[in-house]
Amino acid sequence: MASEKVDNERRAMRWGLTCDKGECQERVNKNGKEVFEVCKFKPTINQVEENTQDSPSCHYYMQKYDALVSKHSLWNYHAFFTIMKFNKKLFEEYLDRKITVFDEAHKIEDQIIQFVGFDIFSGQIDECNLNSEKYDFTDLDSMIQLTDDMAFSYAKKIKDIKESAAFQNNPDYELITGLERRHDRSTQAKIDIMSDKDNFIVNNPVKDLNGNFRIISVKPIDVSKFANSFFETEYQIFMSATIDKSSFCENMGLRQDDVAFVDTQKSPFPIENRSIELLNIRRLSYGSTEEDELEVIKTIDRIMDEHSDERGLILTSSIPRCQKIIRYLSHKNTQRIRICHSKNKDGKTQDEVISEHATDPTGVLLSSSLWEGVDLKDDLSRFQIIAKVPYPNYTEKRTRAKMDKFPLWYTSQTLTKILQGFGRSIRSEDDWAKTYVLDTAVNNVFFKGQQMIPKAYYDVLGMDNV
Ligand code: SF4
């Protein structure tokens, strides 16, 4: 926690000089004894509530506590779910609200999954004096054994410290609390998994550049039985333009009878502003031929020529596909392209690439990650090309397992992403953009997922309104 002033925020992030993963405490030696000391910038929630905090106080905690003590507050999912998972008891009186509104509700599963199951870091294994080579990081039983050994080791550490003369003379409760928390998490992880072993899957371990083990995570396939602990107010409102009632309820563990569903009959945006052409060029999949791929890229070229004086967006399913598109486009259209991902090779952020795009009157963004959460309003994009249907990554173990268990989930994930993609360039009533879909596989997704398509899309997809 040594402080350092760095003017360049991005460099600070790259150097890891941030507080975001810290526990806001450090071990210090006082009178020959190791104790934990809390960061001197950290205010208490009572100070913030009474406006008596020191100045300067930590910006992060000021924001967080301000939100907790306010009548209404706006949170990002990660910050809110962190509290719901780990600090619910601590902030109980501040969480007693009547309604929670969850925006972009189609993304909730991705958020919850980060909080259930568990991650074990190599540092924890070292702290417990365990040998990571003793465990099989592909096997669930071996991971259960690891959580068990960790819990045992933490319990022994706690017992030894409590019985020590040093502790009897001068108890260090912060140290004990930290160990107890890690003990409880290991124990809880084992209980969660043992309660429903078939529901958990061991992901591939993350290793460092030298091949040393860094992190292993064990995640549930079905999050529904954990979801309700994140939704505890009397009423919840889930908002999204792309969810359907039955798959959402199944996924979130909600009883359909407890849920009122509002499916807006008609989009508030005029149909002529959001036209969609399903061009059915070729079906793209692992089995497609080179000719199929090139035919799709040729069509992208043609559409870009037709929109030669406008900005646009091309969406596809993976980074290699982006690279292939850029390799085979005509020279003049390649000059218009900016590849944009959440992390980019040249270190630019997504926002920086989009800002550059805004200054290029005929720029076209090419991405496998801008399917959602990006706002290309007005002439930031007047045409969008969906080159390939964005199926979830089938090579991930959890995706495969979830698909086997819930076949419709795979379709609903794909459909949601396509529908989200449709909305990237039409952001208001007066905004307009033309959408072209090139991959024939989209018909199959619409057919399999027809019950899940919200009514507001029926007109542009030529479906009968019911
Ligand atoms: S209290 Fe704030 S400044 Fe201090 S370590 Fe935590 S996040 Fe950083």
Side-chain angles (χ1 to χ4, degrees):
M1 197 163 42
S3 66
E4 180 142 355
K5 182 162 167 45
V6 182
D7 292 327
N8 182 332
E9 250 178 60
R10 263 178 54 203
R11 189 177 309 147
M13 296 292 277
R14 236 178 287 138
W15 287 352
L17 297 176
T18 67
C19 296
D20 59 343
K21 296 210 174 70
E23 295 196 328
C24 308
Q25 57 184 21
E26 64 179 342
R27 278 171 211 242
V28 290
N29 199 306
K30 270 200 175 155
N31 307 326
K33 184 175 173 314
E34 206 175 58
V35 292
F36 280 87
E37 198 160 79
V38 176
C39 171
K40 66 174 189 276
F41 297 107
K42 189 175 178 181
T44 66
I45 192 162
N46 289 337
Q47 286 173 326
V48 176
E49 194 168 18
E50 288 154 17
N51 208 7
T52 56
Q53 71 280 357
D54 299 336
S55 159
S57 279
C58 166
H59 184 64
Y60 169 78
Y61 276 101
M62 286 301 293
Q63 292 280 309
K64 179 169 168 169
Y65 291 162
D66 244 342
L68 279 167
V69 302
S70 299
K71 210 164 162 209
H72 302 105
S73 55
L74 191 65
W75 294 77
N76 67 45
Y77 273 109
H78 198 271
F80 183 65
F81 283 175
T82 300
I83 288 190
M84 293 304 281
K85 171 82 185 182
F86 301 115
N87 299 121
K88 213 185 284 178
K89 275 239 128 17
L90 193 62
F91 298 122
E92 206 171 15
E93 59 183 299
Y94 304 99
L95 295 171
D96 183 18
R97 318 263 169 150
K98 199 151 180 97
I99 301 179
T100 331
V101 180
F102 296 93
D103 196 13
E104 305 289 358
H106 55 278
K107 297 291 289 175
I108 286 190
E109 180 178 4
D110 294 346
Q111 297 294 332
I112 290 178
I113 195 82
Q114 296 175 38
F115 291 91
V116 284
F118 67 97
D119 298 311
I120 299 175
F121 297 83
S122 55
Q124 288 171 282
I125 297 181
D126 295 343
E127 182 180 45
C128 293
N129 304 323
L130 298 170
N131 175 4
S132 60
E133 285 175 12
K134 245 183 67 191
Y135 301 92
D136 176 355
F137 289 98
T138 61
D139 177 57
L140 186 61
D141 286 320
S142 185
M143 292 303 94
I144 295 171
Q145 185 62 50
L146 175 58
T147 55
D148 213 20
D149 293 348
M150 285 172 65
F152 181 79
S153 161
Y154 282 128
K156 182 162 181 335
K157 265 183 200 293
I158 294 165
K159 181 171 173 284
D160 289 350
I161 291 173
K162 280 186 173 167
E163 286 174 356
S164 70
F167 187 85
Q168 310 279 340
N169 295 335
N170 186 10
D172 179 356
Y173 291 110
E174 274 194 278
L175 172 63
I176 291 291
T177 311
L179 290 169
E180 281 176 347
R181 197 172 57 228
R182 294 195 280 285
H183 169 264
D184 293 351
R185 280 191 195 166
S186 307
T187 312
Q188 187 60 44
K190 185 182 171 192
I191 294 169
D192 283 351
I193 299 170
M194 294 302 285
S195 70
D196 190 4
K197 253 175 93 177
D198 291 343
N199 190 27
F200 281 85
I201 193 120
V202 186
N203 278 325
N204 293 327
V206 177
K207 297 191 173 167
D208 67 14
L209 293 175
N210 300 322
N212 298 319
F213 161 76
R214 301 293 307 155
I215 309 168
I216 186 77
S217 65
V218 180
K219 295 289 174 192
I221 300 163
D222 176 13
V223 298
S224 64
K225 58 179 66 155
F226 304 96
N228 60 4
S229 63
F230 294 92
F231 311 148
E232 287 201 338
T233 46
E234 191 176 343
Y235 299 101
Q236 294 98 38
I237 300 175
F238 299 97
M239 304 206 316
S240 171
T242 55
I243 46 180
D244 85 292
K245 184 174 177 178
S246 59
S247 65
F248 185 74
C249 288
E250 178 182 68
N251 233 353
M252 291 298 111
L254 301 168
R255 284 189 39 225
Q256 295 219 24
D257 290 349
D258 292 342
V259 177
F261 189 67
V262 181
D263 188 3
T264 312
Q265 295 291 316
K266 234 180 133 10
S267 165
F269 302 167
I271 181 169
E272 60 277 13
N273 287 4
R274 53 194 166 88
S275 70
I276 296 171
E277 282 190 37
L278 305 182
L279 294 179
N280 291 324
I281 302 299
R282 294 293 164 94
R283 186 189 172 90
L284 295 184
S285 65
Y286 290 115
S288 343
T289 62
E290 184 73 358
E291 201 225 321
D292 293 336
E293 306 257 355
L294 295 181
E295 197 55 37
V296 166
I297 299 174
K298 223 158 55 184
T299 311
I300 297 175
D301 233 347
R302 178 174 62 69
I303 298 169
M304 286 181 74
D305 286 342
E306 283 167 17
H307 294 268
S308 59
D309 55 356
E310 289 170 324
R311 294 190 192 92
L313 167 69
I314 304 169
L315 292 170
T316 187
S317 59
S318 65
I319 292 175
R321 280 193 186 273
C322 289
Q323 285 156 350
K324 185 150 192 182
I325 291 173
I326 208 162
R327 198 157 1 120
Y328 286 101
L329 279 181
S330 64
H331 179 69
K332 87 174 169 318
N333 282 332
T334 309
Q335 302 297 305
R336 299 170 62 190
I337 296 275
R338 273 185 187 77
I339 292 197
C340 182
H341 300 296
S342 44
K343 281 190 189 136
N344 296 288
K345 254 193 184 157
D346 49 12
K348 284 182 189 147
T349 64
Q350 180 176 301
D351 287 348
E352 285 168 336
V353 178
I354 294 173
S355 301
E356 276 181 16
H357 167 79
T359 62
D360 178 351
T362 62
V364 176
L365 295 167
L366 169 60
S367 178
S368 55
S369 59
L370 294 182
W371 290 91
E372 39 205 324
V374 66
D375 189 359
L376 298 174
K377 64 176 183 204
D378 302 328
D379 58 10
L380 277 182
S381 174
R382 291 302 188 196
F383 67 101
Q384 36 185 27
I385 302 171
I386 296 197
K388 161 94 180 77
V389 164
Y391 293 111
N393 185 354
Y394 194 69
T395 57
E396 274 173 17
K397 276 174 150 183
R398 177 177 181 265
T399 303
R400 242 180 5 244
K402 179 126 187 172
M403 184 193 167
D404 291 344
K405 210 163 166 183
F406 303 98
L408 270 186
W409 170 85
Y410 195 72
T411 305
S412 110
Q413 292 284 303
T414 314
L415 180 67
T416 297
K417 213 161 173 182
I418 295 171
L419 299 180
Q420 284 291 326
F422 287 169
R424 290 314 90 210
S425 306
I426 308 118
R427 312 300 301 164
S428 67
E429 221 170 299
D430 307 320
D431 195 1
W432 54 268
K434 217 167 164 182
T435 301
Y436 304 89
V437 185
L438 313 192
D439 186 354
T440 310
V442 77
N443 300 308
N444 198 28
V445 179
F446 288 154
F447 177 71
K448 279 195 187 158
Q450 51 187 304
Q451 301 301 328
M452 305 176 197
I453 299 177
K455 293 200 175 68
Y457 292 90
Y458 280 20
D459 53 1
V460 275
L461 294 177
M463 296 168 72
D464 292 335
N465 213 336
V466 286

